[in-house]
Amino acid sequence: MSDAATSPGQNRTPRLPAPPPAGRPRDAFFDNAKYLAIVLVAMGHSWEPLKGDSRVLEAMYTVVYAFHMPAFIIISGYFSRNFDMRPDRVKKLVTGVVVPYVLFETAYSLFQRHVGGAADQDISLLDPWYLTWFLCALFVWRLTTPIWRTVRHPLPLAFVVAMLASVSPSIGDDLDLQRVLQFLPYFVLGLCLRPEHFRLVRRWPVRIAAVPVFAAALVFAWWSVPRMNTGWFYHRDSAQELGAPWWCGPVMVLALFGCSLLLTACFLSWVPGRRMWCTALGAGTLYGYLLHGFVVKYAVDKGWFDAGWLHGPLGEILVTAVAGAGVTLLCTGPVRRVFRFAMEPRMDWAFRRDVVEAARERGRQGRRSEQSRGAREPVNA
């Protein structure tokens, strides 16, 4: 008998709602932000062989480098807030960061040796090459997250570490520690942020203000091109290695952080918060990041950027468009399925089974099963 025919006095078994989908739903805003940031990363790398001939392109390159990696790192820190030494999270750190680092550091070294013509290129896991520094840095940052979540004033402490690194040329290149330490404040800032901070920068007054801020940044960058060493934006050298007095290191750490934070806020203010055609690509930004380097390096080694017509405005626009389209393609589902073995390997065979997590998973499955049975149970007639 149907629900409508059941009398009010009769007992009925209530219909339970269907179980919620497993896992927390992804936030479209952050996926959009990661996709747009990785597009800017690819465009910046495609400008490197061309920017020497164009002061305008050099200015655009400077502005993009002032905030695209800081934005990426801040978001990475934000999503690392809950990291602890729980076995399942350590496993994800190993399979999602350490394994891709080892594989791609090896792959880039072999690529450079056999395709780039650098026969003396060694495979060294202690000396990250080209793009792999970010994975090395992310491993160190995330591993130290419990420390930053415990100390009373994490951001000032991170600034002290970054400023000391900027005056310490003896740190050397092992694990690219200069970058790891100088970019550290951005990661720690991400750990300290809450959802309301991101909602704050997405208000319309901030969006309107972002337009003149970016315009002013481009003008200032154009003016500074012949006057400033862009090596400061890479955060991979100390002040002494950049030919500056030691005291410039701490000053530039603070000045660049303020500049990067302002431009990052302006960038995030214009990131759409709704689902769009590119939202799903935000989950594959690590694929685009690590894979596009092979394309850029191959094009440089083969002299594709040497064509004279590419060094004019139309050629620069074409290169920019191709870089954006190429990294977009590398973030898509088919590419992710092909390279998942390297980026997101399961590797259950390499880890001990976590008894606590197994019990927790059985409990979740049991609750879902009960909810499903309740949803299917017919109403008593």
Side-chain angles (χ1 to χ4, degrees):
M1 188 178 296
S2 66
D3 288 357
T6 305
S7 63
Q10 289 177 309
N11 294 327
R12 292 188 297 178
T13 301
R15 290 185 182 274
L16 298 176
R24 184 178 301 176
R26 298 185 65 91
D27 190 314
F29 167 75
F30 289 107
D31 277 338
N32 292 336
K34 289 193 294 182
Y35 166 73
L36 294 174
I38 204 63
V39 168
L40 290 175
V41 169
M43 288 179 175
H45 288 153
S46 72
W47 292 342
E48 286 183 3
L50 305 175
K51 63 186 179 66
D53 299 324
S54 172
R55 188 170 177 178
V56 173
L57 192 61
E58 181 84 34
M60 294 174 59
Y61 177 88
T62 301
V63 171
V64 166
Y65 261 77
F67 76 91
H68 72 340
M69 284 311 297
F72 220 99
I73 294 168
I74 288 172
I75 293 174
S76 298
Y78 178 76
F79 282 100
S80 300
R81 292 170 300 160
N82 296 325
F83 180 83
D84 52 26
M85 292 302 176
R86 210 172 72 185
D88 60 319
R89 289 173 178 158
V90 173
K91 175 184 175 182
K92 189 173 182 180
L93 178 65
V94 171
T95 58
V97 178
V98 177
V99 172
Y101 172 72
V102 172
L103 293 178
F104 277 87
E105 177 64 23
T106 303
Y108 269 117
S109 299
L110 294 175
F111 178 86
Q112 187 68 359
R113 181 187 299 177
H114 298 291
V115 179
D120 58 345
Q121 178 69 41
D122 294 326
I123 300 175
S124 173
L125 299 181
L126 295 179
D127 187 11
W129 192 79
Y130 197 32
L131 303 177
T132 56
W133 74 267
F134 179 71
L135 290 176
C136 184
L138 186 59
F139 173 74
V140 175
W141 294 332
R142 194 164 287 173
L143 204 61
T144 60
T145 294
I147 298 176
W148 304 111
R149 299 292 293 171
T150 302
V151 298
R152 188 181 296 274
H153 303 293
L155 192 55
L157 180 58
F159 273 120
V160 170
V161 172
M163 289 188 288
L164 288 175
S166 71
V167 297
S168 304
S170 60
I171 287 179
D173 297 328
D174 288 350
L175 300 180
D176 221 340
L177 277 180
Q178 278 289 356
R179 271 177 166 164
V180 173
L181 299 179
Q182 290 194 36
F183 273 118
L184 177 62
Y186 299 98
F187 183 82
V188 174
L189 174 63
L191 292 175
C192 298
L193 293 178
R194 297 187 297 273
E196 54 265 31
H197 294 126
F198 291 97
R199 290 194 292 268
L200 190 65
V201 300
R202 294 167 62 196
R203 297 182 304 169
W204 271 109
V206 181
R207 293 182 178 181
I208 294 172
V211 177
V213 168
F214 267 116
L218 285 170
V219 172
F220 179 80
W222 183 88
W223 173 84
S224 68
V225 163
R227 298 174 175 85
M228 181 178 176
N229 186 349
T230 55
W232 288 106
F233 294 97
Y234 303 145
H235 296 281
R236 66 185 177 201
D237 297 300
S238 65
Q240 296 92 322
E241 291 171 306
L242 292 172
W246 70 268
W247 56 264
C248 288
V251 171
M252 290 301 290
V253 166
L254 295 175
L256 289 176
F257 182 85
C259 175
S260 299
L261 187 59
L262 176 63
L263 293 178
T264 298
C266 293
F267 164 71
L268 293 176
S269 71
W270 279 101
V271 172
R274 65 186 184 280
R275 291 196 62 83
M276 303 178 63
W277 65 269
C278 62
T279 303
L281 302 176
T285 50
L286 185 61
Y287 291 78
Y289 176 79
L290 290 174
L291 293 173
H292 88 276
F294 292 104
V295 180
V296 173
K297 285 298 183 183
Y298 185 84
V300 171
D301 293 335
K302 297 304 179 182
W304 292 358
F305 291 99
D306 297 338
W309 64 275
L310 286 179
H311 293 255
L314 292 179
E316 293 165 356
I317 293 173
L318 177 62
V319 168
T320 302
V322 170
V327 76
T328 297
L329 179 64
L330 294 175
C331 294
T332 57
V335 175
R336 292 168 59 190
R337 284 191 290 272
V338 171
F339 289 96
R340 183 164 286 135
F341 75 95
M343 306 283 197
E344 302 173 87
R346 293 188 58 86
M347 296 183 61
D348 293 333
W349 54 269
F351 300 93
R352 296 177 180 177
R353 184 165 178 80
D354 181 15
V355 178
V356 176
E357 180 60 25
R360 188 183 296 117
E361 179 61 27
R362 286 195 298 270
R364 286 195 293 263
Q365 291 177 353
R367 287 192 295 271
R368 286 196 293 265
S369 178
E370 290 176 2
Q371 290 175 341
S372 298
R373 285 197 300 270
R376 292 193 300 267
E377 187 174 340
V379 177
N380 292 337

